[in-house]
């Protein structure tokens, strides 16, 4: 049953990615919505879930929040390192990046974070069924209803600084397959909650940086801001109600 429900999550993720690919002519609205969805997932799903999974608190600070800060800082360092590289490029012969510069690298890293999140979704389904059928079904329902946003955000993040579809499609497929792989792993091993909590916090930090420093600034750069802001708010509210209803 866990694997069957993870396949449903696979299909929902693909659907979200396909929707993101087909609305490029309204990219600012897509980015605004995606930013809101990411903020909603971080605030209403990943951070609360990570705190529930881990009781560790080095020096009184919850371990998931240490992971959160580490993830945010990691993406910032990656972006700044790429910016420093670009600043020195004028000292050498002119050349072009084929992969979108700092924005493209940050987007791919964040899309990879979403793949990791989806893998944990699959683990959660399998571990839920280990605790009981009722628990497993509720966990699977929560995963399925937000995997549309995961697929949508994976394509949007991977498309930052890019015009082609090869990388976004590859990451979308990886994101869609990740829950199935996670569910299958639970037939072999049991993942300690002490590890899952900081992990979720770490990727929540990466996703928050992406939304705040990459997606939302680009969404508001050259387009009417009121409608884009409304899309951001709608994305956050959608995740709020989905998580609330699923919980």
């Amino acid at each position: 049953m866990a694997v069957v429900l993870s396949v449903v999550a696979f299909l929902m993720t693909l659907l979200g990615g396909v929707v993101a690919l087909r609305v490029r002519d309204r990219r600012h609205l897509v980015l605004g919505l995606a930013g809101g969805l990411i903020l909603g997932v971080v605030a209403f799903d990943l951070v609360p879930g990570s705190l529930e999974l881990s009781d560790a608190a080095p020096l009184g600070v919850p371990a998931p929040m240490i992971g959160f800060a580490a993830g945010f800082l990691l993406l910032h360092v990656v972006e700044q390192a790429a910016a420093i590289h670009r600043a020195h490029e004028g000292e050498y012969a002119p050349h072009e990046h084929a992969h979108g510069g700092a924005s493209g690298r940050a987007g791919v890293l964040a899309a990879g974070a979403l793949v990791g999140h989806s893998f944990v979704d699959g683990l959660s389904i399998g571990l839920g069924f280990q605790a009981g059928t009722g628990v497993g079904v509720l966990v699977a329902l929560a995963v399925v209803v937000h995997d549309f946003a995961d697929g949508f955000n994976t394509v949007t993040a991977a498309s930052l600084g890019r015009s082609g579809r090869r990388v976004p499609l590859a990451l979308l497929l990886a994101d869609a397959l990740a829950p199935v792989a996670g569910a299958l792993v639970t037939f072999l091993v049991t993942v300690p909650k002490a590890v899952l909590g900081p992990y979720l916090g770490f990727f929540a930090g990466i996703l928050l940086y992406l939304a705040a420093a990459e997606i939302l600034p680009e969404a508001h750069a050259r387009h009417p801001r009121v409608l884009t802001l409304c899309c951001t708010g709608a994305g956050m509210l959608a995740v709020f109600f989905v998580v609330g209803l699923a919980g």
Side-chain angles (χ1 to χ4, degrees):
M1 179 63 75
V3 174
V4 171
L5 290 173
S6 68
V7 171
V8 176
F10 165 86
L11 296 173
M12 188 62 72
T13 303
L14 287 181
L15 177 61
V18 169
V19 169
L21 285 170
R22 291 185 176 276
V23 291
R24 287 183 180 271
D25 58 328
R26 296 186 179 274
R27 184 174 176 78
H28 61 292
L29 299 180
V30 173
L31 289 171
L33 178 62
L37 289 171
I38 289 178
L39 291 175
V41 168
V42 169
F44 308 134
D45 185 14
L46 288 182
V47 170
S50 68
L51 292 173
E52 290 177 1
L53 287 171
S54 177
D55 296 326
L59 299 179
V61 179
M65 299 312 297
I66 296 176
F68 178 88
F72 190 97
L73 182 61
L74 173 65
L75 193 51
H76 178 63
V77 169
V78 169
E79 184 179 66
Q80 292 305 308
I84 291 171
H85 171 66
R86 289 202 314 276
H88 289 287
E89 284 180 349
E91 303 171 9
Y92 307 98
H95 66 281
E96 295 181 357
H97 288 287
H99 298 294
S103 180
R105 294 187 188 94
V108 168
L109 181 58
L114 284 165
V115 174
H117 172 216
S118 294
F119 181 78
V120 172
D121 282 344
L123 287 176
S124 300
I125 293 175
L127 295 176
F129 274 98
Q130 288 182 12
T133 302
V135 174
V137 170
L138 288 175
V139 171
L141 176 62
V143 169
V144 169
V145 294
H146 78 245
D147 268 357
F148 177 88
D150 281 354
F152 188 96
N153 290 335
T154 296
V155 168
T156 302
S159 297
L160 285 173
R162 299 176 185 277
S163 58
R165 293 188 174 188
R166 182 174 60 86
V167 172
L169 283 174
L171 285 166
L172 174 62
L173 182 59
D175 189 34
L177 289 172
V180 180
L184 290 173
V185 165
T186 60
F187 287 99
L188 304 174
V189 297
T190 300
V191 179
K193 290 183 178 180
V195 175
L196 286 178
Y199 168 87
L200 289 177
F202 176 80
F203 282 114
I206 288 179
L207 294 178
L208 180 62
Y209 186 90
L210 174 73
E214 295 286 346
I215 292 181
L216 291 178
E218 184 172 340
H220 289 276
R222 293 181 297 274
H223 300 283
R225 299 187 176 186
V226 174
L227 187 56
T228 306
L229 182 60
C230 289
C231 288
T232 302
M236 290 187 65
L237 286 175
V239 176
F240 175 79
F241 285 113
V242 165
V243 172
L245 292 175

